Amino acid sequence: MEAWDRDVWQKLNAQDKEGWMRKLVRQLPEGMTYEGLQTFERFGRRAQTGVFTQEGQRFVFVPGGEVTLGWSQWQDGMDEKTSTDLHEAASNYGVQDVGMFLASQMSPVREVHISPMLVECKTTSVGWIEVTEEEAYAQEHEDFPEALVAFKQSGLNEYELHLQFRLIRDNGGKVQILWFNEGIEIEDVIKEEKEAGFELLTEDEWEYIYGGGCRTLFPWGDTFDYTLRLKHFGILHHAENAERMSIDTGTDTDTDRTSSILTGVNRHGYELELPNFFGVQFAGDPYMYELTLGPDGEVMPKGGDGGNLICEGTGPLLGFLPAASVFYRDVNVSELDWEELMDTLYYRRIIRLTNVGAE
């Protein structure tokens, strides 16, 4: 339908948008309700769209259209600070041609058609499922009872026994228990969601939703924004407190997990985690991947590199390139086995609107 095209949608008034959304809801999965129009604004871009809910999860309407995706060269170019940082970091790897180096890390330039869709605002973990205390005890894991008691009595925000269970304390002090679901396969996820009326994102759709069809390296431009508060780097701005915080938590400030714990008090203050101009939230964390599917149904993780660049000490610009750049592809992901990948892999559900709203 013409109204689902992004150029047409942006020109509609609120009353017309409201009418299209109310027509749409009658053809959606059972239990999904329309909540009304909402305006989102990020990175100098603004969009008014419909918000839907199902079982407490929010979805937003994202119009489609013809778009150009992928990256091969600068559109606006870097500012001096970004250019200096990038060349210095690249030179440590013996890279002479920075532009060619970046292009090799990005998806290729291509023209694609994006269907209009409803997009889940937040993601769901592939490997970790939330359980109650009773369900956790029923697993009869020998280390869990003692770990749970110790965690409740500690000041920690998070504790994980690798690929076993994870304990998280929210801002209200409530303890969330996550259990690693090692038996699940990607085919199981796709089948389960399809039976419920949902599909998973393709790489094309992810890049469009994250960048909105922009032609710059980042959603906001080609220059890195050094005012952003970034997870894992927040501790670098408070180095004088690091030793004290390590003593308070009883953890090692050099570990990746501890960086998350120490900065976790500001968990919702990291700008890359906030809703974008479509109202969709992304992890904003290079240690995490979002699941997308390639043309042949293969797994195409986006939005991270498993923290490899951060671990190599590249600094915030290159370290966060996988999470901040619209078109980044992790060239090393094929070296990971499924169990390693699903530990940090998340997905979001969508409904493609190719055959609805025609009346």
Side-chain angles (χ1 to χ4, degrees):
M1 287 296 295
E2 186 182 51
W4 302 140
D5 181 88
R6 59 177 181 161
D7 294 330
V8 177
W9 176 260
Q10 291 172 356
K11 296 175 183 177
L12 295 178
N13 59 39
Q15 183 177 357
D16 289 340
K17 290 178 179 177
E18 189 83 31
W20 281 107
M21 294 295 95
R22 292 194 181 280
K23 286 182 180 179
L24 175 62
V25 75
R26 297 197 297 266
Q27 304 173 57
L28 296 176
E30 184 178 352
M32 182 166 283
T33 60
Y34 174 56
E35 302 294 337
L37 296 176
Q38 186 171 344
T39 299
F40 299 93
E41 187 170 2
R42 288 296 309 282
F43 309 133
R45 302 174 64 177
R46 191 169 183 265
Q48 184 183 49
T49 192
V51 177
F52 299 76
T53 59
Q54 186 194 54
E55 297 180 352
Q57 298 304 310
R58 283 164 56 95
F59 293 75
V60 289
F61 168 70
V62 175
E66 306 297 324
V67 296
T68 303
L69 300 174
W71 193 92
S72 63
Q73 61 184 13
W74 305 104
Q75 174 175 282
D76 303 327
M78 303 172 283
D79 66 1
E80 184 177 353
K81 180 172 177 54
T82 301
S83 178
T84 298
D85 279 2
L86 185 57
H87 281 82
E88 286 181 355
S91 66
N92 293 331
Y93 293 87
V95 173
Q96 300 300 320
D97 189 328
V98 171
M100 185 177 294
F101 165 74
L102 283 178
S104 71
Q105 309 295 306
M106 306 295 157
S107 65
V109 175
R110 62 214 186 268
E111 303 293 327
V112 302
H113 174 76
I114 301 295
S115 297
M117 59 190 123
L118 292 190
V119 180
E120 193 169 21
C121 295
K122 295 184 178 182
T123 57
T124 299
S125 173
V126 172
W128 295 92
I129 57 174
E130 185 171 2
V131 298
T132 64
E133 280 195 27
E134 291 74 18
E135 291 170 333
Y137 278 115
Q139 299 294 323
E140 298 184 348
H141 193 291
E142 61 179 7
D143 296 321
F144 175 75
E146 182 178 351
L148 180 61
V149 171
F151 181 77
K152 288 182 175 181
Q153 295 174 351
S154 75
L156 292 173
N157 290 333
E158 187 170 338
Y159 170 81
E160 178 187 325
L161 185 60
H162 185 59
L163 300 185
Q164 299 294 317
F165 57 83
R166 183 181 294 169
L167 306 174
I168 301 173
R169 193 189 314 275
D170 64 21
N171 293 334
K174 182 180 178 182
V175 176
Q176 179 187 30
I177 304 172
L178 301 177
W179 213 268
F180 190 65
N181 187 13
E182 60 182 351
I184 196 169
E185 299 289 344
I186 182 59
E187 292 80 7
D188 301 329
V189 177
I190 296 174
K191 180 180 178 181
E192 180 179 344
E193 296 302 346
K194 189 169 184 177
E195 290 175 349
F198 299 99
E199 297 179 87
L200 304 187
L201 285 170
T202 65
E203 182 187 34
D204 289 347
E205 290 166 337
W206 189 94
E207 290 186 358
Y208 171 64
I209 294 169
Y210 185 58
C214 72
R215 300 305 305 130
T216 51
L217 190 62
F218 307 106
W220 56 84
D222 282 331
T223 288
F224 191 71
D225 186 350
Y226 290 91
T227 69
L228 292 173
R229 289 163 289 180
L230 302 174
K231 186 180 290 187
H232 311 299
F233 281 94
I235 193 172
L236 300 180
H237 302 300
H238 304 282
E240 69 276 9
N241 295 326
E243 182 176 353
R244 176 184 58 79
M245 294 176 76
S246 176
I247 294 173
D248 289 346
T249 60
T251 54
D252 181 357
T253 56
D254 290 333
T255 65
D256 302 331
R257 179 63 63 190
T258 300
S259 294
S260 296
I261 292 171
L262 296 181
T263 57
V265 293
N266 194 27
R267 184 173 299 166
H268 300 293
Y270 304 120
E271 286 89 345
L272 291 181
E273 297 179 8
L274 300 176
N276 74 350
F277 37 76
F278 284 135
V280 180
Q281 292 179 253
F282 294 84
D285 184 348
Y287 283 93
M288 297 166 60
Y289 295 100
E290 183 166 338
L291 170 64
T292 73
L293 301 177
D296 299 321
E298 70 273 22
V299 173
M300 298 281 289
K302 301 291 288 186
D305 69 340
N308 288 331
L309 287 173
I310 283 184
C311 292
E312 292 177 9
T314 57
L317 173 55
L318 276 187
F320 259 79
L321 185 69
S325 172
V326 180
F327 309 109
Y328 183 86
R329 276 182 176 177
D330 183 4
V331 297
N332 299 313
V333 74
S334 61
E335 299 175 6
L336 298 175
D337 62 33
W338 175 242
E339 185 178 74
E340 291 177 306
L341 190 58
M342 65 188 287
D343 176 31
T344 54
L345 190 63
Y346 292 73
Y347 72 95
R348 73 177 77 240
R349 299 173 295 170
I350 65 168
I351 300 174
R352 295 190 184 91
L353 306 175
T354 53
N355 298 308
V356 297
E359 68 229 48

